[in-house]
Every structure is written in structure tokens, then in C-alpha cells.
Amino acid sequence: MKETRQDARRRRHRLRLLIGTPVALITAVALVCLVVAFRPGHRADAGHAANATAAGSTGTATPERGARAGSASPTATRSPRTTASPSAAADAGTTPARPPASATSRPAATGASLAGRIRPGVGYRGVATTYDAGTGDGACSFGPSDDVMTAAMNHTDYETSKACGAYVLVRAADGASVTVRITNECPLPCAPGQLDLSAQAFAELASPSAGRIPVTWKLLSPGASDTIAVRYKTGSSRWWCAIQVIGHRNPVARLEVRTADGWRRLPRTDYNYFLAEDGAGCGGTIRITDIYGERLTVGGITVRPDTVQPTRLQFARH
């Protein structure tokens, strides 16, 4: 059948529709994409969001759950350097702490950390009284001694025998002075700061008839001193023991014994022995620490009751 002119126009119109519609759709989609892509602020917002995410992953903490919006927790506002490694702490101007010292070294500890009531470099005021020291023995259980320059420390500053063996420089108001070693306790009502001196030591400061004088005193670390000795108390065995340190230059702060589980710190008695009631560590290696933090490790001390066993060790002078 011969195509009429009207049919030919209709066929060309349908063809244009078939070709033009997809092109129009593609063009419309492209225009929409261009409008969105070049909308003002689109790239800036995307970049800011990316930067914020990166910052959050390297040091900006998320507020804890339950925190009010707009109020950051301390963790959220803390600078990353505050929890950084020692090298970062150095960058921030803080000196890193020293590593722990070994058992035979001298840690850089201050007297304040271990000294207790009687502290190095501190002057004390009180009164000096006098008593008959007899054989030189006393509450510290050192035993009889020819050393007559001794004193009894008041109950408070005696501090469960922590003052035992300390060397103290005592000075009277007129400038007279004497150095004594603490071997005894002056019980209550002796007041804090009070020293009860042997008659010989008191005579270096004032006439014995004075009986009681105001004094100042301070702890010493003497230059001349023998080496340290260790003694097990009478009745000690591998099931129960009490250990004493003798001849130490500086006051003893701690005594530890080595056991199968490691170092064990022993409690101190008011008669100046360190007690292991269950026997753990008795006869083993001993570690002694003075108030300055110096540790001395002593081996080869067997359980020999009431026997003074010398060592070749002594605390450093301060």
C-alpha cells in the first residue's frame, strides 16, 4: 500500500520522539548534576567534614555518654600531649621520670618519702632532760655499749622504733652542742621534740643540776661509721624469726626478705626488730633500705639467734 503524505509525517514525528526523549532525559540529568556540583559551599562543607573526621581520629575525644550537649568532658578537651609517651612529655617541657633503680643502686628518693616524723634537713625544738643510761641498753635492744653519748627519743618521735640508731646533733641556747645516738625511748608524758639524754651527754650542754633545758636538734648522717651488722633475735628459727639491723649510719626505713614469691616487707616492732611470724624468708637474703631510699642487699646471713653477724656494707653519707 502506497504511503500517503500524512502517514509519512506521522512516521517522522514518532521517530523524532523516539530519538529526542532519551537525549532530553540525559541532558536534564546532566544539568541537575552540574547544578548540585557547583552549588555554593558544596565542596567547602565536604572538605570541612573530612577534616573534622581526621582530627577526631587523632586526638579529639567523643564526650562521654550522658554528657550534656555543648559541655565537653575533661577527656574531650585534653590535649593529646597530656597522655603522650615520655618523648612527647619532654617536648611539652616536662622531664620524664627516671626508670626504677635496681636493688643495689641508690634511688633518687627524698628523705620525706621514707623518713617519717624525723626528716633530714629539718630542725626541731624541744627540751632536753637527763636520765641514767646505765649500761647503754634500752628500748632499741642494741644491748650494752661503752658509748655513753646516747639519748632516749620521746614516744611520739620514736615512731615504733624508727628513730633507733639515728644520730642527732643537739644544741643548747648558749651554742653548746653534742651528738648522740638514739638507743632508747622516753615514754609519755615525754612531749614531741623532747630528748632524754644520758647524764654524760647532758653535761656537755649544761650543768646536771639544771635538769631541763630548751634545745634544738636535727638528724645527722655521720662521716665515721662501722659497717652494718645483722642479728636474729633469741628464739628465731626457720618457722619464726625477728631480724635487727645494727651499726647503720642512717635510720633504717624498711627491711625485706626474699621468699619464693619475691621480696616481702616485714613489719617493725617497738623493740626494733622486723618480724616474720610465719618464718617466710627467715635465713634468706635480706634487703635493707634507709630513709634516703638507698637499698643494701645482704646474703649469707643464716639464722643464728642472738649473734651479731657483720657485713661489708654501709649506707652512704648525706
Side-chain angles (χ1 to χ4, degrees), residues 270-287:
D270 58 1
Y271 53 88
N272 196 33
Y273 276 84
F274 294 85
L275 189 61
E277 292 189 286
D278 58 1
C282 296
T285 302
I286 299 170
R287 188 165 70 182

Side-chain angles (χ1 to χ4, degrees), residues 51-165:
N51 291 336
T53 303
S57 65
T58 58
T60 302
T62 303
E64 295 178 3
R65 182 173 296 179
R68 290 184 296 109
S71 61
S73 66
T75 303
T77 58
R78 185 176 299 162
S79 168
R81 283 194 183 275
T82 60
T83 55
S85 63
S87 60
D91 292 339
T94 303
T95 303
R98 294 183 181 181
S102 65
T104 56
S105 67
R106 297 176 188 141
T110 62
S113 61
L114 295 174
R117 288 188 58 85
I118 304 175
R119 302 157 74 93
V122 177
Y124 297 88
R125 291 184 178 274
V127 296
T129 50
T130 182
Y131 80 111
D132 182 3
T135 63
D137 199 3
C140 293
S141 307
F142 289 136
S145 173
D146 294 334
D147 179 12
V148 295
M149 293 300 169
T150 59
M153 182 63 71
N154 68 83
H155 171 77
T156 303
D157 295 326
Y158 183 76
E159 201 173 1
T160 317
S161 78
K162 197 167 188 176
C164 286

Side-chain angles (χ1 to χ4, degrees), residues 140-217:
C140 293
S141 307
F142 289 136
S145 173
D146 294 334
D147 179 12
V148 295
M149 293 300 169
T150 59
M153 182 63 71
N154 68 83
H155 171 77
T156 303
D157 295 326
Y158 183 76
E159 201 173 1
T160 317
S161 78
K162 197 167 188 176
C164 286
Y167 289 87
V168 174
L169 174 64
V170 188
R171 193 177 300 277
D174 63 0
S177 64
V178 64
T179 297
V180 296
R181 185 169 67 101
I182 304 301
T183 61
N184 209 344
E185 176 185 9
C186 184
L188 296 173
C190 278
Q194 182 173 348
L195 292 171
D196 208 16
L197 306 179
S198 68
Q200 295 87 340
F202 189 91
E204 296 291 319
L205 302 178
S207 170
S209 61
R212 181 185 183 95
I213 60 172
V215 294
T216 58
W217 55 273

Side-chain angles (χ1 to χ4, degrees), residues 213-228:
I213 60 172
V215 294
T216 58
W217 55 273
K218 65 179 181 179
L219 186 67
L220 291 182
S221 180
S225 182
D226 295 330
T227 57
I228 286 174

